[in-house]
Amino acid sequence: MLYTAVAAGSFRRYATYRTATVAGVVTNTVFGFIVAYTYIALWHERPHLGGYDQAQAMTFVWTGQALLAVSALMSGGNLDELQERIRTGDIAVDLYRPADLQLWWLAADLGRAGLQLIGRGVVPMAVGALVFPLALPGEALTWCAFLLSVLLAVVVSFALRYLVALASFWLLDGAGLSLISGLACMFFSGMVLPLRVFPGDFGHFVQLLPWASMLQVPADVLLGARTGGALLRGLAFQAGWAVALLALGRLVQRAATRKVVVQGG
């Protein structure tokens, strides 16, 4: 019940920032139009690039805009706050709480993601569907599989961002690493271009990286590119990375919380 309360509290906290949510919706929608027309030009020259037709490519664009804030593809999400608490030393208070540090921040991030899915996910997708011909599924089962995939995407995203935040125990200021992580996420998640577009062995390689779990896999689930066994393998791929990265985060957390740093004499 503790972590459920943390998630609910995080949801309510982000719900209070209504102006920021509206601004985010407008930003996602505007960028969605820019990327959509870029894709239209690209798919006009290569009609089946990456195995997608134009409607599927448009759906990929708006799925990316819908999940941009949900999976925190460009930022640390609420874990920027964790980095700051490590830098200032306030993390010592967190470690005295009768709660697991990793689970606490995971619950808070799930609450944040839930609000962002409703606030900044639904509206851009709806606008895209009104203006462009999208290849959205009509089966409820596909939508349920998509939502499950999105949940796993958020967990993988959290696990990676948690590792970046924990690096502040050693770096003291993790802003540079956060920037590098954000750039890597944008490229390797499929936000710039679907990973299926990349050629040869490089294309296969990037689809094995954890960032692929954050956008490429959920988008393929929504597009119906993963069905049956391929769907199960996609969800297992996401779950596998989630478990592996959370376990690694647990090990790094254990090492980090044994480290004592005194600044200022």
Side-chain angles (χ1 to χ4, degrees):
M1 294 299 294
L2 170 63
Y3 301 110
T4 301
V6 171
S10 180
F11 184 96
R12 290 193 299 269
R13 173 189 175 188
Y14 280 88
T16 61
Y17 301 120
R18 297 175 185 174
T19 302
T21 300
V22 172
V25 169
V26 173
T27 301
N28 286 145
T29 304
V30 170
F31 274 97
F33 276 98
I34 294 172
V35 178
Y37 283 112
T38 302
Y39 273 37
I40 287 174
L42 183 58
W43 259 259
H44 178 73
E45 297 296 325
R46 300 283 299 275
H48 296 285
L49 185 62
Y52 299 130
D53 59 29
Q54 188 170 345
Q56 290 175 316
M58 292 297 97
T59 307
F60 193 99
V61 169
W62 291 102
T63 302
Q65 293 304 314
L67 298 185
L68 183 63
V70 176
S71 296
L73 298 179
M74 293 183 63
S75 69
N78 63 336
L79 294 187
D80 288 339
E81 181 182 348
L82 175 58
Q83 279 191 333
E84 181 63 16
R85 294 184 69 81
I86 294 172
R87 189 188 68 81
T88 61
D90 291 339
I91 189 67
V93 178
D94 299 338
L95 295 173
Y96 273 109
R97 290 173 178 163
D100 181 83
L101 184 69
Q102 187 184 52
L103 291 178
W104 177 285
W105 285 99
L106 174 58
D109 198 59
L110 290 174
R112 175 204 61 79
L115 186 280
Q116 299 291 13
L117 181 62
I118 298 172
R120 294 180 60 178
V122 174
V123 176
M125 179 68 81
V127 172
L130 289 173
V131 179
F132 300 94
L134 302 187
L136 295 175
E139 301 81 12
L141 186 60
T142 303
W143 283 102
C144 291
F146 171 67
L147 291 176
L148 176 58
S149 183
V150 169
L151 174 61
L152 292 171
V154 173
V155 176
V156 173
S157 172
F158 164 81
L160 280 171
R161 288 179 286 118
Y162 189 71
L163 287 169
V164 172
L166 289 181
S168 297
F169 275 104
W170 290 273
L171 299 177
L172 303 185
D173 186 353
L177 185 59
S178 294
L179 178 60
I180 294 172
S181 175
L183 291 174
C185 183
M186 285 290 291
F187 184 79
F188 292 115
S189 67
M191 193 67 199
V192 177
L193 276 174
L195 300 183
R196 289 175 172 232
V197 170
F198 298 150
D201 292 338
F202 181 71
H204 293 297
F205 172 71
V206 294
Q207 292 186 63
L208 297 176
L209 298 176
W211 293 283
S213 298
M214 300 182 195
L215 175 57
Q216 183 67 53
V217 175
D220 280 343
V221 171
L222 184 65
L223 288 169
R226 288 182 177 271
T227 58
L231 172 60
L232 294 178
R233 287 192 296 272
L235 296 176
F237 170 78
Q238 291 180 288
W241 271 118
V243 171
L245 291 170
L246 288 173
L248 180 58
R250 178 72 60 180
L251 293 175
V252 175
Q253 174 184 308
R254 184 178 303 172
T257 52
R258 292 178 180 175
K259 179 179 176 63
V260 177
V261 177
V262 178
Q263 301 184 61

mmCIF file of all heavy atoms in Angstrom, residues 12 41 49 85 95 104 125 150 206-207 211 220 260-261:
data_model
loop_
_atom_site.group_PDB
_atom_site.id
_atom_site.type_symbol
_atom_site.label_atom_id
_atom_site.label_comp_id
_atom_site.label_asym_id
_atom_site.label_seq_id
_atom_site.Cartn_x
_atom_site.Cartn_y
_atom_site.Cartn_z
ATOM 1 N N ARG A 12 -1.009 12.888 -8.521
ATOM 2 C CA ARG A 12 -1.671 14.135 -8.112
ATOM 3 C C ARG A 12 -0.713 15.316 -8.207
ATOM 4 O O ARG A 12 -1.105 16.424 -8.587
ATOM 5 C CB ARG A 12 -2.202 14.005 -6.692
ATOM 6 C CG ARG A 12 -3.388 13.063 -6.559
ATOM 7 C CD ARG A 12 -4.057 13.226 -5.206
ATOM 8 N NE ARG A 12 -3.132 12.914 -4.121
ATOM 9 C CZ ARG A 12 -2.990 11.711 -3.589
ATOM 10 N NH1 ARG A 12 -3.697 10.682 -4.064
ATOM 11 N NH2 ARG A 12 -2.144 11.500 -2.600
ATOM 12 N N ALA A 41 7.442 13.172 -46.834
ATOM 13 C CA ALA A 41 8.393 13.383 -47.927
ATOM 14 C C ALA A 41 9.314 12.182 -48.093
ATOM 15 O O ALA A 41 9.608 11.747 -49.219
ATOM 16 C CB ALA A 41 9.206 14.654 -47.661
ATOM 17 N N LEU A 49 9.596 1.954 -46.740
ATOM 18 C CA LEU A 49 10.822 2.049 -45.959
ATOM 19 C C LEU A 49 10.630 1.389 -44.597
ATOM 20 O O LEU A 49 9.659 1.671 -43.888
ATOM 21 C CB LEU A 49 11.210 3.520 -45.775
ATOM 22 C CG LEU A 49 12.540 3.815 -45.081
ATOM 23 C CD1 LEU A 49 13.707 3.242 -45.879
ATOM 24 C CD2 LEU A 49 12.713 5.327 -44.908
ATOM 25 N N ARG A 85 19.016 15.575 -5.108
ATOM 26 C CA ARG A 85 19.067 15.166 -3.703
ATOM 27 C C ARG A 85 20.396 14.474 -3.381
ATOM 28 O O ARG A 85 20.916 14.607 -2.278
ATOM 29 C CB ARG A 85 17.887 14.244 -3.374
ATOM 30 C CG ARG A 85 16.534 14.945 -3.452
ATOM 31 C CD ARG A 85 15.400 14.034 -3.020
ATOM 32 N NE ARG A 85 15.444 13.757 -1.587
ATOM 33 C CZ ARG A 85 14.972 14.587 -0.661
ATOM 34 N NH1 ARG A 85 14.438 15.748 -1.004
ATOM 35 N NH2 ARG A 85 15.033 14.257 0.612
ATOM 36 N N LEU A 95 17.393 7.667 2.675
ATOM 37 C CA LEU A 95 17.912 6.367 3.065
ATOM 38 C C LEU A 95 17.469 5.972 4.469
ATOM 39 O O LEU A 95 17.520 4.788 4.824
ATOM 40 C CB LEU A 95 19.440 6.363 2.969
ATOM 41 C CG LEU A 95 20.000 6.519 1.548
ATOM 42 C CD1 LEU A 95 21.513 6.665 1.579
ATOM 43 C CD2 LEU A 95 19.602 5.332 0.670
ATOM 44 N N TRP A 104 10.612 3.084 -4.158
ATOM 45 C CA TRP A 104 9.979 4.384 -3.900
ATOM 46 C C TRP A 104 9.976 5.223 -5.171
ATOM 47 O O TRP A 104 8.943 5.748 -5.592
ATOM 48 C CB TRP A 104 10.713 5.102 -2.771
ATOM 49 C CG TRP A 104 10.195 6.482 -2.465
ATOM 50 C CD1 TRP A 104 10.391 7.616 -3.190
ATOM 51 C CD2 TRP A 104 9.365 6.871 -1.349
ATOM 52 N NE1 TRP A 104 9.762 8.684 -2.597
ATOM 53 C CE2 TRP A 104 9.128 8.250 -1.479
ATOM 54 C CE3 TRP A 104 8.839 6.180 -0.256
ATOM 55 C CZ2 TRP A 104 8.365 8.965 -0.549
ATOM 56 C CZ3 TRP A 104 8.080 6.888 0.661
ATOM 57 C CH2 TRP A 104 7.845 8.256 0.513
ATOM 58 N N MET A 125 -2.111 12.136 -30.015
ATOM 59 C CA MET A 125 -2.519 11.012 -30.849
ATOM 60 C C MET A 125 -3.879 11.290 -31.500
ATOM 61 O O MET A 125 -4.085 10.986 -32.688
ATOM 62 C CB MET A 125 -2.587 9.734 -30.022
ATOM 63 C CG MET A 125 -3.024 8.501 -30.793
ATOM 64 S SD MET A 125 -1.821 7.941 -32.028
ATOM 65 C CE MET A 125 -0.685 7.031 -30.975
ATOM 66 N N VAL A 150 3.600 -0.438 -23.096
ATOM 67 C CA VAL A 150 3.937 0.906 -22.609
ATOM 68 C C VAL A 150 4.374 0.848 -21.148
ATOM 69 O O VAL A 150 5.335 1.515 -20.744
ATOM 70 C CB VAL A 150 2.744 1.870 -22.785
ATOM 71 C CG1 VAL A 150 2.987 3.188 -22.047
ATOM 72 C CG2 VAL A 150 2.489 2.135 -24.258
ATOM 73 N N VAL A 206 20.781 -2.392 -33.090
ATOM 74 C CA VAL A 206 20.088 -1.359 -32.312
ATOM 75 C C VAL A 206 18.748 -1.863 -31.784
ATOM 76 O O VAL A 206 18.254 -1.373 -30.761
ATOM 77 C CB VAL A 206 19.899 -0.070 -33.133
ATOM 78 C CG1 VAL A 206 21.241 0.571 -33.442
ATOM 79 C CG2 VAL A 206 19.109 -0.328 -34.409
ATOM 80 N N GLN A 207 18.170 -2.853 -32.458
ATOM 81 C CA GLN A 207 16.896 -3.394 -31.984
ATOM 82 C C GLN A 207 17.070 -4.349 -30.806
ATOM 83 O O GLN A 207 16.079 -4.789 -30.214
ATOM 84 C CB GLN A 207 16.171 -4.095 -33.124
ATOM 85 C CG GLN A 207 15.697 -3.146 -34.214
ATOM 86 C CD GLN A 207 14.850 -3.832 -35.260
ATOM 87 O OE1 GLN A 207 13.764 -4.360 -34.973
ATOM 88 N NE2 GLN A 207 15.321 -3.837 -36.500
ATOM 89 N N TRP A 211 17.025 0.572 -25.262
ATOM 90 C CA TRP A 211 16.243 1.729 -25.695
ATOM 91 C C TRP A 211 15.140 1.339 -26.661
ATOM 92 O O TRP A 211 14.126 2.030 -26.753
ATOM 93 C CB TRP A 211 17.167 2.766 -26.333
ATOM 94 C CG TRP A 211 18.122 3.392 -25.366
ATOM 95 C CD1 TRP A 211 17.852 4.365 -24.448
ATOM 96 C CD2 TRP A 211 19.514 3.075 -25.205
ATOM 97 N NE1 TRP A 211 18.986 4.685 -23.726
ATOM 98 C CE2 TRP A 211 20.024 3.907 -24.175
ATOM 99 C CE3 TRP A 211 20.375 2.178 -25.844
ATOM 100 C CZ2 TRP A 211 21.350 3.856 -23.767
ATOM 101 C CZ3 TRP A 211 21.697 2.125 -25.437
ATOM 102 C CH2 TRP A 211 22.177 2.968 -24.410
ATOM 103 N N ASP A 220 5.450 -1.018 -32.601
ATOM 104 C CA ASP A 220 5.197 -2.197 -33.419
ATOM 105 C C ASP A 220 3.995 -2.995 -32.916
ATOM 106 O O ASP A 220 3.247 -3.576 -33.701
ATOM 107 C CB ASP A 220 6.440 -3.086 -33.459
ATOM 108 C CG ASP A 220 7.481 -2.587 -34.458
ATOM 109 O OD1 ASP A 220 7.124 -1.772 -35.328
ATOM 110 O OD2 ASP A 220 8.650 -3.007 -34.369
ATOM 111 N N VAL A 260 30.711 7.437 1.324
ATOM 112 C CA VAL A 260 30.524 8.655 2.093
ATOM 113 C C VAL A 260 31.382 9.751 1.480
ATOM 114 O O VAL A 260 32.588 9.578 1.288
ATOM 115 C CB VAL A 260 30.900 8.458 3.576
ATOM 116 C CG1 VAL A 260 30.763 9.790 4.325
ATOM 117 C CG2 VAL A 260 30.022 7.394 4.199
ATOM 118 N N VAL A 261 30.766 10.881 1.160
ATOM 119 C CA VAL A 261 31.483 12.022 0.602
ATOM 120 C C VAL A 261 31.198 13.240 1.449
ATOM 121 O O VAL A 261 30.036 13.556 1.737
ATOM 122 C CB VAL A 261 31.048 12.305 -0.865
ATOM 123 C CG1 VAL A 261 31.750 13.550 -1.400
ATOM 124 C CG2 VAL A 261 31.358 11.101 -1.744
#
